[in-house]
Amino acid sequence: MAEEHRQPAEQEIVIPRGLCRRCVRLVSRRVSDVPGVVSLRVDAALGLLHVWGDAAPAALLEALRSAGFSRHRCGDVRR
Ligand SMILES: [Zn+2]
């Protein structure tokens, strides 16, 4: 009885704010390898990762964790 949507579902995941470009690229690469990910966008300023597709949230978090971004700050961030 589930409604079928043509548009892929969007998921929003919190990542550390202010990641440098290198980290953004790493995050993008890791997350795009997760099965079911159609597209993604990293908003480094807000610290949000938008993912479209039917990837399992746990798999996305695991990809981030394996890249070192679960609770981690970018080592290049200076405050
Ligand atoms: Zn970095």
Side-chain angles (χ1 to χ4, degrees), residues 18-24 69 73-77:
L19 291 181
C20 71
R21 277 183 205 166
R22 198 189 309 167
C23 288
V24 168
F69 291 109
R73 284 212 177 156
C74 170
D76 299 334
V77 172

Side-chain angles (χ1 to χ4, degrees), residues 4 10 13-14 16 18-21 23 26-27 30-31 35 37-38 40 42 50-51 54 61-62 65 69 72 76-77:
E4 280 192 29
E10 179 182 354
I13 296 171
V14 176
L19 291 181
C20 71
R21 277 183 205 166
C23 288
L26 179 60
V27 167
R30 291 295 180 113
V31 171
V37 172
V38 175
L40 65 96
V42 178
H50 300 268
V51 180
D54 58 0
L61 292 176
E62 181 55 39
R65 200 178 308 141
F69 291 109
H72 229 78
D76 299 334
V77 172

Side-chain angles (χ1 to χ4, degrees), residues 42-54:
V42 178
D43 194 327
L46 289 177
L48 284 175
L49 168 67
H50 300 268
V51 180
W52 289 269
D54 58 0

